[in-house]
Amino acid sequence: MLNRSVAALNKAVDTGIIRARQRRAGSGVQRLLGRAEMRFLLVADRLERDLTPTGRRRLYEAIRQLSFDAHRVAFGEVVLDLGKIDADLKSRLHRLDELRRWVQVGSDRNEPTIKGTKIPAYMVAALARGQSVEQIVDDFPSLTRDQVEAAIEYAKAYPKRGRPYPPRSLKRALAELADLGAFDEEAEVGEVAPRRIP
């Protein structure tokens, strides 16, 4: 949603630039960012080269003091209008709500699936690394283009933990092997003698 990696967000929290609430999730802990943190990160992206680390901290504290309906922030001699930032944030949060309607989240142990199917959303998103949306829909005819795009965006907003899925479907990988002749019948092979293992 903020176009930042999990590592970059964790670094911002670990270095004390922003704060995050913590919540237990299964056997791990999740860091939750509030509206002030999201506002700050969007502003900081646009002012990245213009702020020193001290300036970033002062800006963050000034944004934290604002009410949600205030759109101007002042720190020192600088006054920023957050109107565009707030409109952008509102649009992104609205899109995140839309994505949640496409994805069914199960219990902690179950992966999120595309609503109305048993197809994991993270698997579909992983396929997008190596296949086009059209190829994914060809491999999974029960999915629509909108469902595939929602799964991709959902995975960006909620990155998968653990081992990633492969970037190609089994169907596509087998088809590529067949095109290479991996399943062609070879000329008759004679008997193979046992080999001695050293």
Side-chain angles (χ1 to χ4, degrees), residues 24-104:
R24 293 211 59 70
S27 61
V29 175
Q30 286 181 333
R31 290 177 161 175
L32 304 175
L33 301 180
R35 183 176 169 142
E37 288 73 25
M38 290 189 284
R39 285 171 107 181
F40 167 76
L41 290 169
L42 289 173
V43 170
D45 282 346
R46 295 177 185 176
L47 299 175
E48 187 70 32
R49 294 183 181 160
D50 300 323
L51 292 173
T52 64
T54 302
R56 282 190 199 98
R57 286 185 185 90
R58 288 180 58 205
L59 176 59
Y60 173 60
E61 289 303 323
I63 289 175
R64 285 193 71 221
Q65 303 303 318
L66 286 180
S67 66
F68 291 138
D69 58 346
H71 300 292
R72 287 193 179 277
V73 63
F75 67 108
E77 297 294 319
V78 178
V79 177
L80 297 174
D81 183 359
L82 299 179
K84 288 182 182 178
I85 296 288
D86 289 339
D88 185 24
L89 182 58
K90 183 177 179 179
S91 170
R92 292 177 188 214
L93 290 171
H94 177 71
R95 180 62 184 150
L96 190 58
D97 284 340
E98 287 177 356
L99 292 176
R100 289 183 186 134
R101 287 195 283 270
W102 287 97
V103 176
Q104 177 73 41

